[in-house]
Amino acid sequence: MRAVTARILVADDDPKHAQLIRLYLEREGHQVLTVGDGRAALEQARARKPDLIVLDVMMPLVDGLDVCRILRAESDVAIVMVTARSAENDMLLGLDIGADDYLAKPVSPRELTARIRALLRRARNNTDSEVLRAGDLEVDGPRFEVRVAGEPVRLTAKEFGILELLAREPGRVFTRAQILDKVFGFENDVSDRTVDAHVVNLRRKIEKDPADPRYVQTVYGRGYRMAEQ
């Protein structure tokens, strides 16, 4: 089956690496623009409004973490971070500031394109979902929107995926392994802590008191559930 095509911005200060990624993505049918520094990444992201951004962390002028942080405050565009930093804490920091996925160099172009394909497919498949409700919380799949007491809340694709999974079956406990399987799919280098990091970010956005969540609750020793309202 042919991949979902999209507008993709690749921000990487290594021209050879950027062109290799571009080649693979264009073979998938995507429209690809490359830039070589963080300032240009911000300018083009705002001007072109891509569907997804591949973002290197270590770039001149503005580093990738700051670019991700700024863009996440402005939009819910899908962001895949690529970096030479492979430590788990660096990965969790990237996820904590709003990245949807994180790959350590050297990156397999085939793996990167597969992950991008999955992110785009999940985002597009949400158009076939109904509006889910739990108290004042609304998860609107067709519009890829979340509202709390009528107020819109911006989520990343992974945060939305976790919330939608839980909201479909209020009261059911999903283990971290089940969430990894259903939301992250084939991504075999993610861990339970990756799920926890996304849930922490999700609670910050939808809960009045993240330390005493009304919606996304922890079942200790098991996983997470959507509270029955």
Side-chain angles (χ1 to χ4, degrees):
M1 183 174 64
R2 188 167 181 80
V4 174
T5 59
R7 300 183 309 276
I8 298 177
L9 173 64
V10 176
D12 193 323
D13 65 341
D14 181 341
K16 290 184 179 180
H17 190 251
Q19 288 305 315
L20 180 62
I21 293 174
R22 178 174 189 161
L23 176 64
Y24 272 81
L25 292 176
E26 287 182 339
R27 284 178 180 174
E28 295 266 315
H30 301 303
Q31 300 174 30
V32 183
L33 172 68
T34 62
V35 295
D37 64 72
R39 184 176 299 166
L42 285 171
E43 291 172 353
Q44 292 302 320
R46 289 164 173 162
R48 303 293 184 95
K49 300 191 182 305
D51 300 301
L52 184 143
I53 301 173
V54 179
L55 186 60
D56 188 21
V57 170
M58 302 176 72
M59 289 191 298
L61 301 183
V62 183
D63 74 28
L65 292 173
D66 285 335
V67 172
C68 181
R69 189 180 291 110
I70 292 166
L71 291 178
R72 185 52 72 228
E74 298 176 356
S75 77
D76 57 3
V77 62
I79 298 174
V80 179
M81 302 202 77
V82 177
T83 180
R85 300 174 180 175
S86 59
E88 184 180 45
N89 286 341
D90 290 322
M91 179 192 72
L92 294 175
L93 175 59
L95 297 174
D96 188 56
I97 63 174
D100 295 286
D101 208 346
Y102 193 107
L103 284 170
K105 291 182 178 178
V107 174
S108 160
R110 292 180 63 187
E111 180 181 5
L112 176 61
T113 55
R115 292 198 181 200
I116 288 172
R117 191 183 308 127
L119 271 174
L120 293 171
R121 185 169 58 244
R122 279 196 291 269
R124 302 292 171 87
N125 284 346
N126 284 322
T127 61
D128 298 326
S129 306
E130 69 274 17
V131 178
L132 306 171
R133 294 179 175 85
D136 291 336
L137 175 68
E138 294 183 358
V139 183
D140 188 339
R143 294 179 174 82
F144 197 72
E145 293 177 353
V146 171
R147 293 177 289 275
V148 178
E151 295 297 319
V153 179
R154 284 180 174 171
L155 300 183
T156 68
K158 292 290 176 62
E159 291 164 0
F160 188 94
I162 293 171
L163 184 61
E164 185 178 37
L165 175 67
L166 300 180
R168 286 192 175 280
E169 299 186 63
R172 175 183 170 182
V173 178
F174 286 86
T175 66
R176 291 169 176 82
Q178 289 172 323
I179 294 172
L180 285 172
D181 178 61
K182 293 179 181 297
V183 177
F184 294 78
F186 62 87
E187 299 171 25
N188 55 16
D189 62 344
V190 295
S191 67
D192 288 356
R193 288 189 65 190
T194 306
V195 175
D196 294 339
H198 281 295
V199 170
V200 167
N201 291 336
L202 178 58
R203 284 174 171 162
R204 288 174 182 164
K205 295 177 181 180
I206 68 170
E207 302 283 1
K208 184 175 182 180
D209 181 2
D212 184 22
R214 174 184 176 187
Y215 303 112
V216 179
Q217 298 180 335
T218 301
V219 179
Y220 293 99
R222 292 290 298 165
Y224 298 101
R225 70 182 175 198
M226 174 64 66
E228 296 182 276
Q229 302 292 320

